[in-house]
Amino acid sequence: MSPALGNAIVTGAAQGIGRSIALRLASDGFNVAVNDIPEKSAELDSLVDEIRRKGRKCLKHEGDVSQDNTVKDMIEAVVGQYGSLDVMVANAGIAGPYRKKITEVTAEQFDQVMAVNTRSTFLCYKFAGLQMIKQGGGGRIIGACSIAGKKAMPSQAPYSASKFAVRGLTQAAALEFGSHGITVNAYAPGAINTPMLRAPAKSQEESDTMMERFKQMSPLHMLGSPEDISNLVSFLASKDSQFITGSNGGIFFD
Ligand code: NAD
């Protein structure tokens, strides 16, 4: 087995897009630390096994990434055990209340979406940035924006607001970290076939109808797969992407 390309962290890695990114970065040659909430411990364990079977080191770090200490401890553990942090993927996110108008959303629901989607991204960017600046060798920071971070989605105000904020953070971090050779980009996909996308459906029939509607929203008339995102992240994490920063890549033409 060739030496590792570097060391990466992926948050919200137990399922969906995060899981696919963690596996892809391991296949690319990175050691990978994987995070999710304690309720997803069993899923994380099976991911850790799969990554280790690829011959890469893998560290499991449970915890809520909207909390400072979770993010700080995770970075400390990776640097302590593997020597450096080279790639940070701030993927964890929640959809928040479905089909609720602003007049129906509680302040607590709004705060929770902002904490998990935006505060956690801020914390990952901040503490990964500090570590990579200290190392002095550049780095790659990648966040999870969304099509909803470019144009608000109906009846999903907290989610849309949280992803607009991720777009702002990504641009701001790109400006501030660029002189250190650290690039900061985010993926901003349309509908990707994951548990998050299917969660609101109450029956198989409703799920199928929703998926059909999502397909029609895409110029390609298809749903994306988690691998469509991990292919992009693989590129953004590589040396080949050295001149791309501040971008929120997605299916929108902007
Ligand atoms: P998902 O719900 O399938 O997976 C998200 C993971 O994040 C889950 O395993 C969950 O337990 C974890 N998580 C939630 N809160 C956490 C916390 N506080 N700390 C740590 N982990 C936490 O979602 P997904 O579809 O794979 O989405 C991944 C990211 O991509 C999210 O940020 C999402 O907003 C974004 N995104 C998804 C889509 C899509 O269509 N699926 C589209 C655009 C953007």
Side-chain angles (χ1 to χ4, degrees):
M1 183 60 63
S2 52
L5 267 186
N7 308 308
I9 291 177
V10 183
T11 70
Q15 64 184 36
I17 293 170
R19 185 172 205 282
S20 177
I21 292 171
L23 287 169
R24 176 59 189 265
L25 291 180
S27 299
D28 288 347
F30 288 94
N31 297 322
V32 188
V34 292
N35 151 272
D36 213 292
I37 50 178
E39 291 85 335
K40 295 281 167 68
S41 190
E43 290 88 339
L44 274 187
D45 283 339
S46 91
L47 175 62
V48 169
D49 284 348
E50 222 174 305
I51 290 173
R52 288 186 181 150
R53 280 201 299 273
K54 290 177 184 289
R56 292 296 159 208
K57 292 182 188 157
C58 184
L59 196 150
K60 171 182 166 185
H61 197 96
E62 286 176 8
D64 172 358
V65 279
S66 68
Q67 302 303 311
D68 305 35
N69 282 344
T70 306
V71 179
K72 276 198 258 186
D73 292 352
M74 187 165 58
I75 293 175
E76 238 176 73
V78 168
V79 175
Q81 291 194 33
Y82 303 156
S84 66
L85 173 66
D86 308 291
V87 178
M88 165 61 91
V89 186
N91 166 76
I94 55 172
Y98 287 107
R99 298 188 201 113
K100 294 266 187 244
K101 297 193 190 314
I102 290 179
T103 48
E104 300 164 323
V105 173
T106 65
E108 289 72 25
Q109 287 172 323
F110 180 81
D111 285 348
Q112 196 202 0
V113 176
M114 294 303 285
V116 178
N117 294 0
T118 307
R119 189 172 197 271
S120 73
T121 304
F122 161 73
L123 293 171
C124 288
Y125 285 13
K126 172 178 171 161
F127 291 114
L130 276 168
Q131 177 59 33
M132 289 172 183
I133 289 168
K134 191 161 100 187
Q135 289 168 191
R140 298 280 185 266
I141 299 178
I142 298 156
C145 189
S146 165
I147 191 175
K150 302 192 179 199
K151 185 167 188 278
M153 288 181 18
S155 301
Q156 277 214 283
Y159 186 76
S160 301
S162 73
K163 295 298 184 179
F164 266 74
V166 166
R167 189 147 68 101
L169 276 171
T170 303
Q171 292 182 7
L175 290 171
E176 293 182 22
F177 297 162
S179 59
H180 300 279
I182 302 164
T183 66
V184 190
N185 295 288
Y187 39 93
I192 305 295
N193 196 353
T194 68
M196 178 187 277
L197 196 69
R198 293 181 175 274
K202 294 188 178 62
S203 65
Q204 188 56 48
E205 198 187 341
E206 192 187 355
S207 174
D208 293 344
T209 311
M210 279 172 51
M211 295 310 123
E212 202 43 52
R213 220 179 43 238
F214 283 130
K215 282 183 195 168
Q216 298 315 316
M217 281 166 54
S218 156
L220 298 167
H221 291 185
M222 61 186 274
L223 287 181
S225 69
E227 288 66 39
D228 289 317
I229 305 307
S230 51
N231 289 337
L232 172 63
V233 171
S234 167
F235 170 67
L236 290 174
S238 75
K239 286 197 168 48
D240 290 346
S241 70
Q242 65 166 8
F243 201 55
I244 300 176
T245 196
S247 96
N248 289 271
I251 67 165
F252 255 25
F253 308 143
D254 70 345

